[in-house]
Amino acid sequence: MISRQITGLGMLLVALLLSGCAPQGNDDAEGSVADATPTGDTPAKPSAGEFITAVEEESLETGTEIARLAWINNTYITDDSQILLAKASERAQAKSLEWAREAATYEGLDHDYDTARKLRFLKQGFVLPPPADPEFNAELATLRTELPNEYSAFKYCRSDDECLDFEAMNIIMGESREPEELLEIWTEWREVSPSYRDRYARIIELANIGANGLGFDNAGDMWRLGYDMPPEKFAAELDGLIGQMAPLYESLHCHVRAELNEHYGDDVVPAEGPIPAHVLGNMWAQTWSNVYPLMGVEEGEAAYDLTEIIQERSMAELDMTKTAEQFFVSLGFDPLPKTFWERSMFVRPEDRDVVCYASAWHIDAADDVRLKMCIQKNAEDFDTLHHELGHNYYQLAYNDQDYMYQGGANDGFHEAVGDTLALSVGPTYLKELGFIEEVPDSSSDIPLLLRSALDKIALLPWTYLVDQWRWRVFSGEITPEDYNKAWWDMRLKYQGLIPPVERTEESFDPGAKFHVPSNVPYTRYFLAAVLQFQFHRALCEAAGYEGPLNRCSIYGSKAAGEKLQAMLAMGASRPWQDALEALTGSREMDATAILDYYAPLQEWLNVQNEGRNCGW
């Protein structure tokens, strides 16, 4: 669920100080630094190792400052907080560029493993590489702060007495069954972004100038270089994974379309072809679980509704968070630091604008971890809390690593860890908590799996296409004149969705998703969607579990916790293939664990779809 996805806008800015992006290539260079020392009066150039040490010391200090400024800007949006963050970002961008250029001067020399790896981090650790021109850099820093703040402050006013922020609009999208109201909210939310088009195009232009200055064709190439493998091989890896999942997604799409057609009729949802994007229960139709009640599934006798349980137990936001913390404690992890509870934001303040998107923060590269979230008392946010605390526990696990290694093995790992734990938030876990009296029998598996698939399987093509679109924008294959057309062409191709009303280039529908104007890379979520099941299968094996994969919970397993902790503690110190092997025994990403997890659902969908014309 991508309402719970980002590890923090502040940490995104810290990322430009190189704290979490893995480089391309194999780290197998050996030998000592062989830097030539100038003679005469010219100051001796520091060795590569000395250079790296100085960079890590300064980046730790500066990164902590930016993280704190970003926290303030995210939790207290004002003109002043925006300006302060933009200025700090501008200075950090300039310093990062200086370091990247200096790192390039050590190319062609023999380095020990850590020096070689960190030099690559320095050259490739940008989301938006800053231009060398100070005016361009300042402009980029302003734009990258300006757009997400405008996004977070947007409201739609139905009347003078009723103005809706995003959370209110998203609730309507999830709960309403009136096609006219769904269309209204879907359309009006997209008024958030038309004014971004020209500024977004300028961000792309400026980032590409910065990438060119570092020897790359465009910024998209830099994004794809962050995965310990050549970019073309990485792209092929993604294509293979999405191909593995296509049949399951098509089966799910076919059933959902048929049930929505039965509910709404042909005028709203045709019986064949693509599905209009406004009727799937989510502002972007990225997850579909809110339309589960329309799926015609007969619940088992012992079925439960976690949202109802949370509300019946009168759980407060902190109660939900402490329950999620206890999951990690049951695996052998320490409780969260006292400062976590003192400094986090758990509810939306009534007196100011904030960025409500759930995110986990690592402020000081030590134990100052925080959660920023406007928690709602429902099952989705209960899962989200397990996900976000997964980020926090990952951050705590690697905080003994060097500063440049304080990140996930790749960015998909960071997202996958939290989602892996959330896979255990099922009947077995809920019984352990006392939320339900008994674990439902197998008759409940299909309802639970279908509800899960409406999130996790529906999510897969969405997480794949967002960066596919952006990489083509960075390369110039998609020009500003075709932003919207290309966006909807890809949504049709990969998701089988169409807009409910005609969209033109006067709109900028990609910008209606937070991660686009905020320039948060999205491939991490696709990787996480695959890796979480691979992690889950391995941890269930470590826990000694035998049975259907969808029924496994690792709650209380110290053996699984020990294996997880060992992988988390590696941070970004080794290529992701090493981290994956440490946990799963394999060096290859593999989607077969997803197919294993949803095997009972696939069989059920095959029966439901008999006689239907699937596909679009």
Side-chain angles (χ1 to χ4, degrees):
M1 303 176 187
I2 299 305
S3 59
R4 55 182 174 176
Q5 61 291 51
I6 75 173
T7 56
L9 178 58
M11 297 315 294
L12 171 62
L13 294 171
V14 175
L16 60 86
L17 289 170
L18 320 169
S19 61
C21 189
Q24 174 197 11
N26 297 317
D27 295 298
D28 54 4
E30 297 181 355
S32 60
V33 177
D35 303 326
T37 302
T39 59
D41 295 331
T42 304
K45 178 180 178 179
S47 70
E50 291 169 338
F51 166 66
I52 289 295
T53 297
V55 167
E56 287 198 287
E57 289 176 354
E58 185 174 351
S59 60
L60 171 57
E61 179 180 353
T62 308
T64 301
E65 176 191 2
I66 290 181
R68 288 178 172 144
L69 286 170
W71 176 265
I72 293 170
N73 186 58
N74 274 239
T75 59
Y76 208 114
I77 299 174
T78 67
D79 290 341
D80 288 336
S81 65
Q82 178 175 325
I83 291 169
L84 288 171
L85 181 58
K87 289 298 183 183
S89 174
E90 177 186 344
R91 292 192 300 271
Q93 288 273 29
K95 178 57 69 173
S96 297
L97 181 59
E98 177 186 325
W99 288 334
R101 289 176 171 169
E102 182 68 16
T105 67
Y106 293 96
E107 289 183 357
L109 303 174
D110 290 331
H111 305 294
D112 62 81
Y113 168 85
D114 288 314
T115 300
R117 186 166 180 81
K118 290 175 181 178
L119 285 171
R120 283 194 288 272
F121 276 36
L122 286 170
K123 290 181 290 184
Q124 300 170 4
F126 296 98
V127 174
L128 295 178
D133 186 304
E135 291 186 6
F136 285 170
N137 184 22
E139 182 183 1
L140 179 59
T142 298
L143 289 172
R144 64 182 295 161
T145 306
E146 185 176 271
L147 265 60
N149 279 332
E150 290 182 18
Y151 184 103
S152 296
F154 180 82
K155 291 181 174 64
Y156 162 51
C157 293
R158 281 174 152 172
S159 66
D160 292 340
D161 298 327
E162 185 185 18
C163 287
L164 306 175
D165 59 19
F166 170 76
E167 284 73 32
M169 296 175 76
N170 204 37
I171 289 172
I172 294 173
M173 289 297 295
E175 296 180 353
S176 177
R177 298 293 181 255
E178 298 297 328
E180 296 82 4
E181 183 176 41
L182 291 172
L183 181 60
E184 172 200 359
I185 298 299
W186 188 94
T187 304
E188 292 298 337
W189 175 252
R190 278 149 186 79
E191 291 302 309
V192 69
S193 54
S195 67
Y196 301 166
R197 170 188 289 276
D198 291 344
R199 286 178 290 171
Y200 183 76
R202 182 59 174 164
I203 288 173
I204 298 298
E205 183 180 4
L206 292 170
N208 279 342
I209 292 172
N212 296 160
L214 293 173
F216 298 93
D217 288 339
N218 60 75
D221 283 351
M222 294 186 68
W223 288 23
R224 290 190 296 276
L225 281 170
Y227 293 97
D228 285 304
M229 59 198 307
E232 62 277 5
K233 184 177 179 182
F234 178 64
E237 185 106 349
L238 299 185
D239 291 344
L241 292 169
I242 196 69
Q244 281 184 291
M245 296 312 306
L248 177 56
Y249 178 82
E250 183 175 300
S251 295
L252 182 67
H253 179 283
C254 189
H255 179 68
V256 169
R257 181 184 59 198
E259 296 300 323
L260 292 177
N261 169 260
E262 181 175 341
H263 179 80
Y264 287 113
D266 292 342
D267 291 342
V268 177
V269 181
E272 297 184 359
I275 302 172
H278 69 307
V279 295
L280 287 160
N282 175 271
M283 190 66 78
W284 310 281
Q286 62 186 36
T287 56
W288 305 347
S289 59
N290 283 324
V291 300
Y292 172 79
L294 305 182
M295 292 299 101
V297 177
E298 183 177 345
E299 297 280 2
E301 291 184 3
Y304 61 88
D305 185 319
L306 181 53
T307 296
E308 289 184 4
I309 293 171
I310 290 168
Q311 294 172 356
E312 288 173 358
R313 296 173 69 90
S314 300
M315 294 184 74
E317 292 83 0
L318 282 180
D319 296 330
M320 295 170 66
T321 310
K322 287 182 179 294
T323 302
E325 177 198 35
Q326 187 56 40
F327 190 105
F328 291 87
V329 172
S330 82
L331 300 179
F333 291 84
D334 293 333
L336 290 163
K338 180 181 178 183
T339 54
F340 172 87
W341 303 101
E342 296 170 341
R343 299 171 183 173
S344 294
M345 185 187 84
F346 301 103
V347 297
R348 173 187 275 276
E350 296 181 357
D351 61 342
R352 62 187 188 271
D353 289 324
V354 298
V355 177
C356 259
Y357 273 81
S359 52
W361 294 60
H362 195 192
I363 299 294
D364 63 354
D367 60 0
D368 187 353
V369 295
R370 307 179 191 179
L371 171 70
K372 178 188 64 59
M373 183 174 173
C374 301
I375 300 172
Q376 298 182 38
K377 300 172 186 178
N378 57 37
E380 181 176 356
D381 279 12
F382 189 74
D383 279 358
T384 298
L385 284 164
H386 288 74
H387 172 98
E388 295 301 338
L389 294 197
H391 284 304
N392 288 137
Y393 273 102
Y394 206 160
Q395 292 156 351
L396 291 169
Y398 58 56
N399 69 7
D400 288 333
Q401 292 281 355
D402 293 346
Y403 185 62
M404 286 193 199
Y405 289 159
Q406 291 197 14
N410 66 40
D411 53 10
F413 271 64
H414 233 306
E415 295 299 325
V417 166
D419 278 335
T420 298
L421 277 299
L423 287 175
S424 287
V425 181
T428 302
Y429 172 48
L430 298 179
K431 183 179 184 298
E432 291 284 344
L433 294 179
F435 281 20
I436 58 177
E437 293 183 0
E438 60 181 20
V439 176
D441 62 29
S442 60
S443 67
S444 69
D445 283 3
I446 294 305
L448 290 173
L449 284 172
L450 179 57
R451 190 188 296 268
S452 170
L454 290 170
D455 278 335
K456 294 181 179 292
I457 302 305
L459 185 65
L460 281 163
W462 164 263
T463 56
Y464 175 80
L465 71 86
V466 174
D467 275 355
Q468 296 290 326
W469 178 85
R470 284 194 287 198
W471 293 343
R472 292 169 64 188
V473 168
F474 277 125
S475 72
E477 182 181 350
I478 298 174
T479 64
E481 294 75 21
D482 290 318
Y483 277 171
N484 235 35
K485 179 181 184 302
W487 176 254
W488 283 107
D489 285 349
M490 295 179 76
R491 296 203 69 181
L492 175 61
K493 177 179 179 180
Y494 294 110
Q495 289 184 287
L497 304 183
I498 55 174
V501 293
E502 182 180 1
R503 309 302 288 168
T504 70
E505 293 305 324
E506 294 298 316
S507 301
F508 180 46
D509 292 337
K513 178 62 180 173
F514 177 82
H515 297 68
V516 174
S518 298
N519 299 288
V520 179
Y522 218 77
T523 298
R524 64 185 65 173
Y525 306 119
F526 178 73
L527 296 178
V530 174
L531 287 169
Q532 63 184 273
F533 291 94
Q534 199 169 353
F535 292 172
H536 181 62
R537 183 168 61 185
L539 290 171
C540 289
E541 291 171 355
Y545 172 79
E546 296 180 359
L549 189 57
N550 61 289
R551 291 195 144 227
C552 172
S553 173
I554 64 168
Y555 179 75
S557 172
K558 298 297 192 294
E562 183 177 348
K563 197 161 190 177
L564 179 61
Q565 171 69 17
M567 188 271 282
L568 300 183
M570 294 170 68
S573 64
R574 303 295 303 178
W576 65 262
Q577 293 90 341
D578 290 359
L580 181 64
E581 185 176 26
L583 183 60
T584 70
S586 172
R587 298 180 63 82
E588 303 288 334
M589 289 187 288
D590 179 15
T592 61
I594 305 178
L595 303 180
D596 288 348
Y597 188 92
Y598 289 104
L601 178 66
Q602 180 67 78
E603 294 180 6
W604 182 84
L605 288 171
N606 290 342
V607 174
Q608 303 305 307
N609 289 331
E610 288 181 1
R612 293 171 176 168
N613 186 15
C614 296
W616 54 85

